[in-house]
Structure formats: structure tokens, C-alpha cells
Amino acid sequence: MSKTKTLNDLFHDTLKDIYFAEKKIMSALPKMAKAAQSEELRAAFEKHLEETEGQVERLDAVFEEIGQTPRGKTCDAIMGILDEGKEIMSEYKGAPALDAGLLAAAQAVEHYEISRYGTLITWADELGLANASKLLKETLAEEKKTDQTLTGLAKTVVNSEAEAA
């Protein structure tokens, strides 16, 4: 008979999911930065890469808190979002709308991460994992700030450049 799955199991599985996602994002961001035509967008991607490295370190600490080895579990959602980004880089290479597409793909990633971290924080609080909750809240704040930065770039630079061409 199979073991009854608990909120603790779900927390751990979702933690593995976001761990996998963050590792994949770390490998995608340099490619996105290289493809970006706007210096501002390139800088935003490079800054987020540095933040993502710190986010993975915080996830390592959360795994430690729950007595588990940091390990990812394939996340089909992030793979699909990243595949869309690759498609944009390929189909819009050199085009005026490339940066707008890259930015949109990056925001899809951010929104996925914001959703996951919000859920994990709620569950960490429910499970009495105070330090995990604190670490996850730090990451959520960074993800929200990155999303706001990207929105600002879309409104002030990237979309108007794509439209003007």
C-alpha cells in the first residue's frame, strides 16, 4: 500500500521543482543576455543571473532545514516557458521585436517563479518552517523586483523600440 502524501511531501516536491527551474534559468539567462540588443535588457538579465545564484543558495538552505539533499525534479512548466524563449531567439534574431519577445519570455519565467515561491511560503508557514519561510520571502521579493524592472524596461525602452522599427 502506498504512503499517504502529506503537505510536507508536497512542499518537498515543489521545492525540487523550483530548484530544477532555477538551475535551468541559470543556464538560459546568459543566452538571453547575449541575444538581447538593448544594453538595459542585457544588464537586467545579467543582474538576474547573479540573483538566481543567490536564490539557489537559499534553496540549498531550505533543503537543509527539512533534512533533504538539494535535488531538482524535472519541471515541465519551466521547460515549456524556456522553449518559448529559445523559439523567440531563433525566429526574431536580428529583428526589432527581439528584445520585446525576450522580455516577455523573461516575465513568463518571473510570473511562474512568483507563483511557486508564494505557494512555498504559505506551506512553509503552515509547516512551521520559519527559516525556510524567511529565505523564500527574500527570493520572492527579488523575483517581484525583477518583474517590476522588466515591466519598466518594456514601457520605457523595449516596446517602443520594437514598434518604432
Side-chain angles (χ1 to χ4, degrees), residues 124-141:
D125 290 341
E126 183 70 27
L127 294 166
L129 302 169
N131 190 54
S133 178
K134 177 182 156 290
L135 293 168
L136 295 166
K137 284 176 183 172
E138 284 180 49
T139 297
L140 179 60

Side-chain angles (χ1 to χ4, degrees), residues 24-25 27-37 41 45 81-95 97-103 105-106:
K24 286 295 179 187
I25 292 162
S27 66
L29 280 167
K31 295 171 191 151
M32 294 174 76
K34 185 178 179 186
Q37 299 172 75
L41 185 57
F45 289 154
I81 293 169
L82 292 175
D83 283 345
E84 286 178 6
K86 285 181 201 168
E87 189 176 304
I88 288 166
M89 283 190 279
S90 171
E91 289 184 19
Y92 288 84
K93 186 176 183 173
L98 172 64
D99 283 354
L102 286 172
L103 195 146

Side-chain angles (χ1 to χ4, degrees), residues 71-158:
R71 189 167 41 105
K73 174 180 95 171
T74 301
C75 171
D76 292 330
I78 205 66
M79 293 305 292
I81 293 169
L82 292 175
D83 283 345
E84 286 178 6
K86 285 181 201 168
E87 189 176 304
I88 288 166
M89 283 190 279
S90 171
E91 289 184 19
Y92 288 84
K93 186 176 183 173
L98 172 64
D99 283 354
L102 286 172
L103 195 146
Q107 282 197 291
V109 168
E110 290 309 309
H111 294 171
Y112 178 78
E113 290 176 302
I114 288 167
S115 168
R116 279 294 186 222
Y117 282 111
T119 297
L120 284 166
I121 290 163
T122 300
W123 291 343
D125 290 341
E126 183 70 27
L127 294 166
L129 302 169
N131 190 54
S133 178
K134 177 182 156 290
L135 293 168
L136 295 166
K137 284 176 183 172
E138 284 180 49
T139 297
L140 179 60
E142 287 177 353
E143 301 296 4
K144 286 181 176 180
K145 188 169 191 242
T146 296
D147 184 52
Q148 289 172 345
T149 298
L150 292 172
T151 296
L153 282 174
K155 289 180 177 178
T156 60
V157 179
V158 174

Side-chain angles (χ1 to χ4, degrees), residues 37-79:
Q37 299 172 75
S38 157
E39 284 302 320
E40 295 97 326
L41 185 57
R42 179 176 295 116
F45 289 154
E46 289 169 350
K47 180 176 187 258
H48 193 55
L49 176 59
E50 288 176 25
E51 286 179 346
T52 302
E53 291 166 355
Q55 292 165 358
V56 169
E57 289 174 12
R58 284 195 287 272
L59 288 173
D60 287 340
V62 173
F63 275 106
E64 187 177 323
E65 183 177 347
I66 64 171
Q68 298 290 337
T69 302
R71 189 167 41 105
K73 174 180 95 171
T74 301
C75 171
D76 292 330
I78 205 66
M79 293 305 292

